Amino acid sequence: MEVAVESYSKVVAMAPLHLEARLSLSTLQQQLGRPQRALDALEPMHDPDTLAQDAGAAQQELKLLLHRSTLLKSQGRPDDYTDTMLTMLAMLLKVAMNRAQVCLISSSCSGERHLHLIKVSRDKISDIDDQEAAYLDVIGKTSVLSREDWWQLLLDTVMVLCQRMRFAEAELLVDSSLEYYSFYDDRAKRKELEYCGLSAAVLDRNYRKAYSYIRLMLMDSVERAQLWNVFNQVTLHSQDVRHHRFCLRLLLKNPEHHALCVLNGHNAFVSGSFKHALGTAGGRGDGDRALCRLVIVPVISLSPSLS
């Protein structure tokens, strides 16, 4: 095996862009118990300018990054693993990140440099004249992986960011992914991304952002009690009143919805009109349900003063 390592090392030295030689050398070094040398064999082969212009070089780099990510994960190096995953996704989501005003930067923390996603202002983003052509160019360069493979890689990265307590970056990654046509046009994937965004926003205590997600979900599935539970928690922590108008509009479309009647009655009571609160809570449902709501609203509203 040592002879093979020496042979592949010579090949890599003479032809540093020989992908197969690099992959074989890395595998042999890992099998010999030399994890760092295995990673050294998978160092980047091309500079950013070459990757931007050469589809073949981009595909080679992706294959190398994919092997590097697998190696880093097996070695238990989560930060470096996350860097590699973000690098790959940045190649796929180049145009989408531009639209979402998200950039991938390298910054130093505790003496180590790692990659991070940040939100930037529009004037710091270079405009892409023909976004459709740029999107097709990205598709060609990233065809190494299937759409489902990219989707799984994206979900894994969102999960890793949350595990590393990098919730704001998970939100930005979801924002960028929702700007990517292949994911957004697939309704199932779009809904899963929205759930990921909601979870990351709540964990980040970004309740204004969480409200934007839960609002869309309720408009699509007004009968799901779990969503109303989340909605109440989000509006409770956000200390915002934007949801008052949303609840009123939704009530017009769903006049017999029990939770909406109670919420609108409570909102009206908080606004200072007890008479209006009772009228709203009563709604237009059957007598028993309306009576129940008329009792619930005063009890809920007066409960803080009774405790």
Side-chain angles (χ1 to χ4, degrees):
M1 197 175 287
E2 288 287 359
V3 175
V5 167
E6 186 176 347
S7 299
Y8 279 117
S9 297
K10 290 179 180 179
V11 173
V12 171
M14 292 186 292
L17 300 183
H18 195 298
L19 177 62
E20 296 304 323
R22 280 175 171 265
L23 298 180
S24 298
L25 177 59
S26 176
T27 301
L28 289 170
Q29 295 285 26
Q30 182 72 8
Q31 290 174 351
L32 289 170
R34 302 166 184 167
Q36 187 54 52
R37 291 188 184 183
L39 289 172
D40 292 341
L42 299 177
E43 285 297 312
M45 296 191 297
H46 303 281
D47 59 78
D49 290 336
T50 302
L51 293 176
Q53 299 171 9
D54 189 339
Q59 291 178 351
Q60 270 195 328
E61 197 74 15
L62 272 174
K63 290 179 181 178
L64 184 142
L65 287 168
L66 190 61
H67 281 78
R68 183 177 176 84
S69 67
T70 303
L71 200 57
L72 287 166
K73 187 175 183 180
S74 68
Q75 292 181 8
R77 299 174 61 170
D79 290 325
D80 293 323
Y81 170 69
T82 306
D83 287 350
T84 305
M85 301 283 274
L86 288 174
T87 301
M88 286 191 285
L89 285 170
M91 296 174 71
L92 177 75
L93 303 175
K94 178 182 177 181
V95 179
M97 289 173 65
N98 182 280
R99 285 201 295 268
Q101 297 176 233
V102 175
C103 280
L104 183 64
I105 65 165
S106 174
S107 61
S108 180
C109 181
S110 302
E112 295 184 357
R113 295 196 71 82
H114 289 291
L115 299 178
H116 298 274
L117 292 170
I118 62 168
K119 186 82 171 180
V120 295
S121 58
R122 175 53 63 185
D123 60 333
K124 293 184 178 180
I125 295 284
S126 56
D127 291 330
I128 298 176
D129 296 329
D130 190 344
Q131 293 202 357
E132 187 67 29
Y135 174 76
L136 293 175
D137 179 57
V138 168
I139 291 294
K141 291 177 180 177
T142 56
S143 59
V144 172
L145 296 177
S146 68
R147 188 172 71 166
E148 290 305 315
D149 288 335
W150 277 116
W151 173 248
Q152 191 56 54
L153 190 146
L154 169 64
L155 294 181
D156 290 344
T157 307
V158 172
M159 181 67 70
V160 169
L161 287 172
C162 289
Q163 289 172 347
R164 305 300 295 168
M165 310 294 282
R166 294 163 63 175
F167 305 124
E169 290 181 70
E171 291 178 64
L172 293 177
L173 183 55
V174 171
D175 290 345
S176 301
S177 302
L178 285 169
E179 294 286 348
Y180 185 65
Y181 298 144
S182 293
F183 294 155
Y184 185 84
D185 291 343
D186 187 318
R187 188 172 185 274
K189 287 182 171 57
R190 182 172 73 247
K191 288 177 71 68
E192 189 165 354
L193 278 173
E194 289 171 353
Y195 277 104
C196 289
L198 173 63
S199 300
V202 171
L203 289 169
D204 191 38
R205 300 178 186 275
N206 185 355
Y207 296 109
R208 286 187 66 85
K209 184 69 168 289
Y211 172 77
S212 299
Y213 283 118
I214 194 63
R215 178 177 173 274
L216 290 173
M217 294 174 187
L218 282 171
M219 291 173 67
D220 188 53
S221 306
V222 71
E223 296 298 333
R224 292 191 62 181
Q226 300 95 324
L227 293 180
W228 285 109
N229 291 335
V230 175
F231 179 82
N232 286 333
Q233 288 298 313
V234 168
T235 54
L236 175 67
H237 287 89
S238 67
Q239 297 295 307
D240 201 342
V241 296
R242 288 184 300 165
H243 66 285
H244 288 195
R245 186 172 297 178
F246 166 71
C247 289
L248 280 171
R249 288 173 178 169
L250 205 56
L251 183 63
L252 293 176
K253 298 179 181 180
N254 304 272
E256 297 184 12
H257 193 278
H258 189 57
L260 270 172
C261 289
V262 173
L263 280 172
N264 278 293
H266 176 69
N267 293 340
F269 188 85
V270 171
S271 300
S273 174
F274 186 66
K275 181 179 179 180
H276 183 210
L278 292 176
T280 304
R284 287 182 283 172
D286 61 82
D288 291 340
R289 290 172 65 86
L291 179 61
C292 178
R293 291 193 290 264
L294 288 172
V295 173
I296 288 175
V297 169
V299 170
I300 293 176
S301 303
L302 293 174
S303 57
S305 61
L306 298 176
S307 59

